[in-house]
Amino acid sequence: MALKQKMMENAYRFFGLEGKTAIVTGAGNGIGKAIAKMLASLGANVMACDIEGDSVAAVADEIVSEGYKVIHSKCDITKLDEIRATVKQTVAAYGTVDILVNCGATMGGGKKIAEVHPEEWNRLITTNLTGVYNFCWEVIPIMREKQSGKIINISSEAGIAGEDCDIHYSAAKAGVIGLTKSLARELGHEKINVNCVAPGFTETRMAHEWEFEPALKIFWKIGQPEDQAAAVVFLASEAANFFSGQVLSPNGGAYMF
Ligand SMILES: NC(=O)c1ccc[n+]([C@@H]2O[C@H](COP(=O)([O-])OP(=O)(O)OC[C@H]3O[C@@H](n4cnc5c(N)ncnc54)[C@H](O)[C@@H]3O)[C@@H](O)[C@H]2O)c1
């Protein structure tokens, strides 16, 4: 019993997030929802936000019903005023922001280059790349002031290996990796760690809206949202204090880089 107690204490010391405040964007569905739930289940004070207000309210209800701490906000990551209001709500409720998970994103829709007209290019880059920048812009001053923080940006295997469609999606996700690495270099001496998770094919609404069946033939294994959430939790934890500027890619061995 004493040994078991010691093991629990070790797990708590390395991976427990009690008292840490985490903002998760895109928390209304799929991977973001799993991240919000897993962070809360490890003791974090979670702000779950999403452009889909009803979805994220339902996620918050689920988390509360399990006895964990969460608040929620309807927030479009392309709108700086909504981001500011969400960050303000978080600080008012919890006092600070320790962890930022940039997960919210939109899909490309399987478009070939001829279909990626300038408006479509701008729409997707504005959400999937500028949206990540926007939240960093608002949260980093808070982390700088206290000289600590963890930022985890969700990229994609498409940002590493490319795809045979959706150049804008791949370009945005590659951009998220570049943004992560440069921020990690710039903020490392201020004890702000910035890392990426680049999911492989994972069973969510986005994956089903894409070409699910053909994709299953390419990626021999499909992950669950919790497989991605586990990587985020690790990067948010004390156990990952020496990780910065890294890309973790839970993908079941479908690709390696
Ligand atoms: N599912 C996969 O196979 C896969 C693979 C690689 C990367 N990803 C990435 O994982 C992340 C989560 O995707 P998912 O598969 O869970 O998809 P999903 O569609 O289930 O969830 C995406 C969430 O982002 C939200 N969102 C979209 N636009 C937004 C905006 N402007 N502001 C705020 N929120 C917005 C959506 O409302 C939704 O709740 C995304 O960054 C995605 O690019 C997913």
Side-chain angles (χ1 to χ4, degrees):
M1 190 58 195
L3 188 61
K4 185 146 191 196
Q5 178 68 25
K6 220 158 106 179
M7 291 191 293
M8 300 277 283
E9 280 171 16
N10 287 337
Y12 187 82
R13 182 153 59 95
F14 289 120
F15 299 105
L17 296 170
E18 193 176 10
K20 300 283 183 195
T21 294
I23 296 179
V24 183
T25 75
N29 294 279
I31 294 170
K33 174 179 174 179
I35 293 167
K37 289 185 75 172
M38 209 178 276
L39 290 172
S41 75
L42 288 162
N45 308 316
V46 173
M47 158 53 92
C49 59
D50 200 292
I51 195 171
E52 292 180 12
D54 291 347
S55 306
V56 82
V59 170
D61 285 349
E62 250 183 73
I63 295 174
V64 167
S65 75
E66 288 165 14
Y68 303 117
K69 280 196 198 150
V70 67
I71 53 174
H72 64 90
S73 153
K74 179 180 182 314
C75 176
D76 180 343
I77 58 173
T78 69
K79 302 209 164 98
L80 275 169
D81 58 334
E82 294 188 15
I83 295 171
R84 252 173 230 141
T86 298
V87 173
K88 205 171 159 195
Q89 188 188 340
T90 311
V91 173
Y94 300 132
T96 190
V97 182
D98 301 293
I99 299 160
L100 169 65
V101 184
N102 282 304
C103 185
T106 186
M107 62 181 292
K111 293 184 180 63
K112 298 292 185 185
I113 175 70
E115 299 167 276
V116 183
H117 48 77
E119 294 78 11
E120 170 61 7
W121 172 271
N122 287 332
R123 175 194 74 82
L124 194 135
I125 296 290
T126 301
T127 303
N128 291 11
L129 180 55
T130 311
V132 174
Y133 155 80
N134 286 341
F135 244 104
C136 289
W137 172 255
E138 287 299 323
V139 167
I140 284 169
I142 297 171
M143 295 182 168
R144 276 199 132 142
E145 206 176 318
K146 58 186 184 161
Q147 297 279 289
S148 77
K150 299 266 169 77
I151 299 174
I152 299 121
N153 297 322
I154 307 301
S155 176
S156 168
E157 59 85 21
I160 298 166
E163 288 179 323
D164 66 354
C165 60
D166 291 335
I167 52 163
H168 49 348
Y169 183 88
S170 299
K173 292 299 186 179
V176 168
I177 293 174
L179 178 156
T180 298
K181 290 184 174 177
S182 289
L183 271 182
R185 281 177 182 267
E186 190 178 331
L187 301 178
H189 65 285
E190 298 187 67
K191 296 204 178 101
I192 300 170
N193 299 38
V194 191
N195 289 290
C196 240
V197 170
F201 198 41
T202 304
E203 191 161 15
T204 63
R205 179 181 68 179
M206 188 182 281
H208 276 280
E209 281 171 0
W210 201 54
E211 297 173 18
F212 193 74
E213 294 304 328
L216 273 183
K217 293 192 181 88
I218 303 167
F219 306 107
W220 56 279
K221 204 170 176 185
I222 182 157
Q224 294 305 310
E226 291 72 22
D227 295 319
Q228 308 304 332
V232 171
V233 160
F234 166 66
L235 290 170
S237 75
E238 295 291 306
N241 281 351
F242 205 44
F243 274 71
S244 202
Q246 304 302 309
V247 183
L248 288 191
S249 186
N251 62 50
Y255 63 97
M256 295 164 203
F257 59 95

